[in-house]
């Protein structure tokens, strides 16, 4: 049977405010357990929450960047449940009057732009963290009260790859806004997915499973792919899919049932009495809007116009803000109108070099910095060194910390275009490769490439292959 997949994602995002959402405790990650707590975030009787205005500014920023409409009238609610990571037994969240609704995020899927609609963006606080050690469970409340945004998409996503692109695009947008570090390992970005399948062409939605516990983008993609297979297997064998919450087990590469609908907790909400509803003025929204920087889609278009980048190159370059900033600096400093040579280096050896070191490209420590790199690319353009040599020099420079220009000088890697040097090498090659010479003369024009290769070997790769080829052809045709 052929099925269609329907996926909706719920993303929880830590905002990187200095202090928590409703008290003055620090939000710094990795501190001594329970060292960043106070009566408010511990929920001690008599303590009162005070809303951190920066949370609102950041939340509006994200909502606007996601093309949402900000609700004029909004309030906080208590979401009641009992769990040891939440000493108050309720979480301050937003229920029926969320901060923002009805937005969208544009996602590039196989070269086509798709709009994934967003249902709502609301503010809430995080709970503490349980640490399990053998027989004991410990709780760290440092995370309790850290501001979170919940971003809920419509079920507009139709494949694990699309889910991956949505998350990448969301992460990149948030990074441009500089309101979260989006680090999944630290729990700053967490994602739950609702997934169901239905017969192709069927209108009614299938029964969904909620997936939790995915702690990387890769895990999200794998968990969704697994779940499509599992649900299809159920339907193919005549069984029905049951509505349940499932956990992704990365070690076993499978999802396992956590609880079914019958066991699901029904949260009770009621308005937070200690935080009165409030109105967000249009002047506030305008003020926040002014602080939104150029976002990836606009930056992409601008860079295509300004520097003549292809859409493909531009998309790669704007995917992270730091990489885009670095790239733009390089492009600007590269002399000449045609920026293609430096762009090819950015999306080629620089990205590859960062990948092989397992770091983000903007963290690459290029010895001598941008001027050295530009010098290297120019040397290739001016045919002073070959492209192959330049790539090898660049990689060597990354691993031993020597500037490219120094490596080239020390090893004397300048390309040989001097015809008297090349003449001698060509003479020797012609004498010792009679067969290829006669092949060429008998019309096998490809034979010349073998001879070029021999000359390159003789000159340790330093000969200019274009010049060698021209010289060889001239010699063979006149001989
Ligand atoms: Zn506190």
């Amino acid at each position: 049977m052929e099925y269609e997949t329907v996926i909706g994602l719920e993303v929880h995002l830590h905002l990187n405010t200095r202090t928590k959402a409703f008290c003055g405790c620090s939000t710094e990650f990795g501190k001594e357990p329970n060292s960043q707590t106070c009566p408010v975030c511990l929920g001690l009787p008599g303590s009162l929450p005070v809303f951190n205005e920066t949370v609102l500014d950041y939340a509006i920023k994200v909502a606007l960047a996601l093309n949402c409409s900000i609700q004029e009238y909004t309030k906080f609610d208590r979401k009641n449940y009992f769990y040891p990571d939440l000493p108050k037994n309720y979480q301050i969240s937003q229920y029926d009057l969320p901060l923002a609704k009805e937005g969208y995020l544009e996602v590039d899927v196989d070269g086509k732009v798709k709009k994934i609609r967003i249902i709502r963006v609301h503010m809430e606080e995080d709970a503490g963290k349980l640490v399990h050690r053998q027989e004991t469970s410990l709780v760290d409340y440092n995370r309790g009260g850290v501001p979170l945004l919940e971003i809920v998409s419509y079920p507009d996503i139709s494949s694990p790859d699309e889910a991956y692109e949505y998350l990448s695009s969301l992460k990149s947008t948030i990074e441009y806004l500089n309101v979260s570090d989006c680090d999944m390992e630290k729990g700053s970005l967490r994602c739950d997915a609702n997934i169901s399948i239905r017969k192709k062409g069927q209108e009614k939605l299938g029964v969904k499973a909620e997936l939790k516990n995915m702690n990387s983008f890769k895990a999200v993609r794998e968990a969704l792919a697994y779940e499509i297979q599992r649900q299809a297997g159920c339907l193919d064998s005549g069984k029905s899919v049951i509505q349940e919450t499932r956990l992704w087990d990365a070690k076993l590469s499978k999802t396992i049932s956590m609880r079914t609908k019958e066991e699901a907790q029904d949260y009770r909400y009621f308005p937070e009495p200690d935080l009165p509803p409030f109105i967000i003025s249009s002047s506030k929204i305008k003020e926040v809007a002014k602080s939104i920087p150029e976002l990836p889609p606009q930056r992409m278009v601008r860079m295509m116009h300004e520097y003549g980048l292809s859409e493909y190159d531009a998309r790669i370059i704007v995917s992270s803000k730091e990489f885009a900033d670095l790239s733009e600096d390089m492009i600007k400093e590269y002399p000449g109108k045609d920026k293609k040579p430096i762009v090819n280096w950015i999306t080629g050896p620089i990205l590859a070099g960062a990948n092989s070191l397992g770091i983000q490209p903007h963290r690459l420590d290029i010895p001598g910095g941008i001027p050295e790199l530009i010098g290297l690319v120019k040397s290739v353009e001016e045919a002073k060194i070959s492209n192959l040599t330049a790539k090898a020099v660049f990689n060597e420079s990354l691993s031993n910390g020597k500037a490219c220009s120094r490596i080239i000088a020390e090893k004397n890697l300048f390309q040989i275009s001097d015809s008297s040097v090349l003449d001698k090498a060509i003479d020797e090659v012609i004498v010792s490769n009679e067969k290829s010479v006669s092949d060429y003369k008998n019309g096998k024009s490809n034979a010349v490439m073998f001879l070029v290769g021999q000359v390159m070997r003789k000159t340790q790769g330093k000969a200019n292959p274009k010049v060698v080829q021209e010289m060889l052809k001239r010699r063979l045709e006149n001989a």
Side-chain angles (χ1 to χ4, degrees):
M1 188 98 65
E2 247 198 289
Y3 298 106
E4 280 176 347
T5 305
V6 179
I7 300 167
L9 292 179
E10 275 175 29
V11 170
H12 284 92
L13 184 76
H14 263 177
L15 297 177
N16 62 7
T17 53
R18 218 171 36 77
T19 56
K20 292 183 179 180
F22 303 107
C23 65
C25 292
S26 165
T27 55
E28 202 179 330
F29 182 79
K31 290 284 155 177
E32 187 72 15
N34 296 305
S35 62
Q36 296 165 158
T37 54
C38 72
V40 174
C41 54
L42 287 175
L44 299 185
S47 62
L48 283 173
V50 177
F51 185 35
N52 177 353
E53 182 106 6
T54 313
V55 173
L56 181 65
D57 290 352
Y58 284 12
I60 293 175
K61 224 170 165 177
V62 172
L64 289 176
L66 298 177
N67 307 292
C68 292
S69 49
I70 310 287
Q71 302 305 293
E72 193 192 356
Y73 185 73
T74 188
K75 72 170 168 57
F76 284 106
D77 300 274
R78 290 184 176 184
K79 178 180 180 180
N80 293 270
Y81 64 99
F82 175 78
Y83 205 65
D85 64 4
L86 198 73
K88 293 185 290 207
N89 288 340
Y90 63 82
Q91 176 191 29
I92 301 179
S93 181
Q94 295 196 283
Y95 182 53
D96 55 339
L97 296 170
L99 171 79
K101 293 200 277 199
E102 301 300 332
Y104 64 85
L105 182 63
E106 286 184 348
V107 175
D108 179 53
V109 186
D110 298 327
K112 268 193 223 142
V113 174
K114 179 171 173 178
K115 268 186 190 176
I116 309 288
R117 293 170 304 151
I118 287 158
I119 301 177
R120 60 188 275 151
V121 174
H122 75 242
M123 301 175 282
E124 58 187 32
E125 59 176 342
D126 207 351
K129 194 178 171 197
L130 294 175
V131 184
H132 304 287
R133 281 194 197 143
Q134 290 157 356
E135 308 278 292
T136 335
S137 288
L138 303 166
V139 59
D140 176 5
Y141 290 118
N142 281 353
R143 208 178 68 184
V146 168
L148 277 180
L149 278 192
E150 184 170 332
I151 301 163
V152 186
S153 87
Y154 276 94
D156 286 352
I157 299 165
S158 25
S159 72
D161 284 344
E162 261 181 55
Y164 188 92
E165 289 306 324
Y166 171 82
L167 288 173
S168 307
S169 178
L170 185 63
K171 180 171 184 256
S172 142
T173 304
I174 306 289
E175 282 171 348
Y176 270 76
L177 298 174
N178 193 23
V179 294
S180 172
D181 65 17
C182 295
D183 188 337
M184 273 186 116
E185 272 171 30
K186 292 198 307 198
S188 310
L189 193 154
R190 307 199 287 270
C191 170
D192 299 335
N194 285 304
I195 173 166
S196 64
I197 59 170
R198 59 182 171 196
K199 263 188 235 163
K200 210 165 181 163
Q202 177 185 304
E203 197 129 325
K204 197 170 156 266
L205 287 173
V207 179
K208 69 179 179 185
E210 187 184 7
L211 301 185
K212 287 183 179 286
N213 205 31
M214 303 167 290
N215 51 18
S216 69
F217 286 10
K218 194 171 144 261
V220 173
R221 182 152 64 184
E222 286 172 356
L224 290 169
Y226 175 86
E227 200 49 26
I228 293 169
Q229 292 301 320
R230 187 192 68 85
Q231 294 186 11
C234 279
L235 297 184
D236 282 342
S237 62
K239 284 184 272 181
S240 48
V241 174
I242 51 168
Q243 189 171 335
E244 61 184 341
T245 303
R246 298 180 69 87
L247 295 178
W248 172 244
D249 187 323
K251 278 198 195 110
L252 299 175
S253 286
K254 61 194 275 192
T255 61
I256 44 179
S257 182
M258 178 184 155
R259 58 171 180 254
T260 57
K261 198 189 173 192
E262 286 73 45
E263 308 159 45
Q265 29 199 327
D266 253 331
Y267 299 117
R268 266 166 308 153
Y269 286 90
F270 61 83
E272 166 61 64
D274 296 332
L275 293 162
F278 54 101
I279 286 177
I280 301 173
S281 67
S282 57
S283 61
K284 169 88 174 172
I285 297 173
K286 270 187 206 142
E287 189 193 308
V288 175
K290 270 192 253 159
S291 72
I292 294 181
E294 184 183 42
L295 294 172
Q298 292 90 1
R299 188 166 195 177
M300 203 179 114
V301 171
R302 179 179 61 77
M303 288 186 82
M304 285 164 69
H305 281 129
E306 221 160 290
Y307 310 116
L309 263 59
S310 71
E311 189 182 330
Y312 177 82
D313 288 337
R315 198 177 292 283
I316 293 175
I317 286 172
V318 304
S319 61
S320 105
K321 182 172 186 299
E322 288 92 348
F323 183 45
D325 289 346
L326 174 73
S327 301
E328 191 153 4
D329 285 346
M330 290 181 179
I331 294 170
K332 273 186 187 155
E333 283 187 36
Y334 188 77
K337 213 171 169 306
D338 181 15
K339 304 295 187 185
K340 191 75 186 156
I342 188 73
V343 172
N344 287 344
W345 267 78
I346 292 166
T347 57
I350 291 178
L351 264 188
N355 277 341
S356 70
L357 293 170
I359 54 171
Q360 298 289 322
H362 67 273
R363 300 221 177 277
L364 258 192
D365 185 17
I366 301 172
I370 296 177
E372 268 293 322
L373 183 87
I374 286 177
L376 183 70
V377 180
K378 268 179 66 190
S379 302
V380 177
E381 287 311 295
E382 290 163 3
K384 286 184 187 150
I385 60 170
S386 73
N387 199 32
L388 262 175
T389 305
K391 283 180 185 169
V393 166
F394 179 68
N395 288 333
E396 191 182 328
S397 162
L398 290 183
S399 63
N400 68 12
K402 274 189 196 175
C404 292
S405 56
R406 207 177 127 198
I407 298 172
I408 295 169
E410 279 176 4
K411 295 193 171 177
N412 187 22
L413 296 173
F414 291 107
Q415 199 159 244
I416 306 169
S417 302
D418 179 346
S419 54
S420 63
V421 180
L422 293 179
D423 262 334
K424 192 170 161 273
I426 288 172
D427 278 344
E428 289 170 15
V429 166
I430 286 180
V431 169
S432 51
N433 290 283
E434 276 174 27
K435 177 148 190 331
S436 300
V437 171
S438 65
D439 280 353
Y440 182 80
K441 286 184 174 164
N442 292 330
K444 281 195 189 160
S445 53
N446 268 342
V448 77
M449 292 320 291
F450 174 78
L451 297 170
V452 171
Q454 294 305 304
V455 176
M456 295 303 290
R457 252 174 83 175
K458 271 205 179 302
T459 57
Q460 283 99 44
K462 290 191 286 182
N464 181 335
K466 247 172 93 183
V467 175
V468 171
Q469 192 178 345
E470 280 162 17
M471 286 176 69
L472 258 168
K473 279 187 177 167
R474 232 179 296 134
R475 284 281 298 276
L476 293 173
E477 270 147 32
N478 296 333

